[in-house]
């Protein structure tokens, strides 16, 4: 089983991946780690700010890793914001039967009421060296965009509105 977790920055993708790892013992891959490895090693001239270009660059690699894991009957959780909303087009049915996709989206109400909590959990699993760029405005904008695209592409999304409780049973 492959679990894909995407969403805007600060929605809890990494925390959810860590919880699933602990519950099901499935390893997980942070696409951010892959991104930074490729950037720091000089294999790409892209920067961490090149979001759209990074999706185009990273997705073919991640996509083929997913296929390889499925072919080898391996479980894997992949989390990151670099999963395109039209990801399903890249897989035949026999692969799709082995993939679960979750897009995390926070409501405007949730963000406005709990922005302090959102910021305080930013380093719950990984250390964020510089998180000053993350403002209520940027989180509102990013989540609105993810919600719009999730609806446009009719993908499975988890809407976080009143409280932050995400349970995924496999």
């Amino acid at each position: 089983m492959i679990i894909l977790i995407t969403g805007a920055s600060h929605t809890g993708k990494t925390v959810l991946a860590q919880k699933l790892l602990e519950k099901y013992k499935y390893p997980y891959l942070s696409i951010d780690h892959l991104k930074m490895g490729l950037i720091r090693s000089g294999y790409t001239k892209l920067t961490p700010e090149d979001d759209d270009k990074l999706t185009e660059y990273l997705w073919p690699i991640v996509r083929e890793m997913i296929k390889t894991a499925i072919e080898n009957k391996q479980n894997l959780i992949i989390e990151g914001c670099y999963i395109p909303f039209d990801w399903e087009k890249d897989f035949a049915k026999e692969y799709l039967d082995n993939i679960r996709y979750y897009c995390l989206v926070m409501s405007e109400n949730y963000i406005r009421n709990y922005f302090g909590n959102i910021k305080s959990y930013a380093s719950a699993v990984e250390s964020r060296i510089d998180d000053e760029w993350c403002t209520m405005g940027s989180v509102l904008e990013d989540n609105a965009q993810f919600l719009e695209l999730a609806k446009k592409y009719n993908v499975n999304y988890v809407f976080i509105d009143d409280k932050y409780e995400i349970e995924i049973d496999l």
Side-chain angles (χ1 to χ4, degrees):
M1 178 67 58
I2 306 298
I3 310 299
L4 300 179
I5 304 170
T6 193
S9 182
H10 290 76
T11 53
K13 299 177 297 292
T14 307
V15 170
L16 178 57
Q18 181 70 35
K19 285 181 181 179
L20 292 172
L21 174 145
E22 292 168 6
K23 183 175 182 177
Y24 295 106
K25 309 298 185 228
Y26 290 8
Y28 80 83
L29 167 73
S30 168
I31 301 175
D32 279 343
H33 292 171
L34 177 62
K35 168 188 78 175
M36 292 311 298
L38 290 165
I39 290 171
R40 288 178 170 177
S41 67
Y43 278 92
T44 180
K45 299 294 183 209
L46 296 173
T47 71
E49 288 77 38
D50 294 324
D51 283 340
D52 291 338
K53 290 178 183 173
L54 281 164
T55 299
E56 292 174 21
Y57 183 72
L58 295 169
W59 178 243
I61 299 165
V62 173
R63 177 192 68 217
E64 297 309 314
M65 291 172 69
I66 291 167
K67 290 177 182 176
T68 302
I70 291 170
E71 289 161 0
N72 286 293
K73 297 180 181 20
Q74 295 170 317
N75 299 311
L76 182 61
I77 301 162
I78 299 176
E79 65 88 7
C81 61
Y82 304 107
I83 300 170
F85 284 92
D86 62 349
W87 66 274
E88 287 184 281
K89 73 174 177 35
D90 293 327
F91 298 96
K93 183 180 181 341
E94 59 268 18
Y95 292 107
L96 290 172
D97 289 343
N98 292 283
I99 302 172
R100 301 293 175 266
Y101 171 95
Y102 302 92
C103 179
L104 307 183
V105 179
M106 294 176 174
S107 72
E108 179 179 345
N109 178 61
Y110 184 85
I111 295 165
R112 290 193 185 284
N113 288 327
Y114 299 104
F115 184 70
N117 290 0
I118 293 167
K119 287 283 283 191
S120 71
Y121 282 104
S123 294
V125 175
E126 58 189 3
S127 296
R128 292 183 186 259
I129 297 169
D130 178 17
D131 203 33
E132 293 301 313
W133 62 269
C134 177
T135 64
M136 184 181 298
S138 69
V139 174
L140 286 166
E141 183 180 326
D142 289 350
N143 277 271
Q145 181 182 21
F146 267 80
L147 180 58
E148 179 183 327
L149 291 168
K151 288 179 178 179
K152 176 181 176 181
Y153 287 94
N154 195 32
V155 297
N156 182 37
Y157 66 92
V158 177
F159 194 64
I160 303 155
D161 189 29
D162 293 330
K163 54 188 171 183
Y164 197 103
E165 287 185 5
I166 301 174
E167 279 298 319
I168 294 177
D169 293 315
L170 306 180

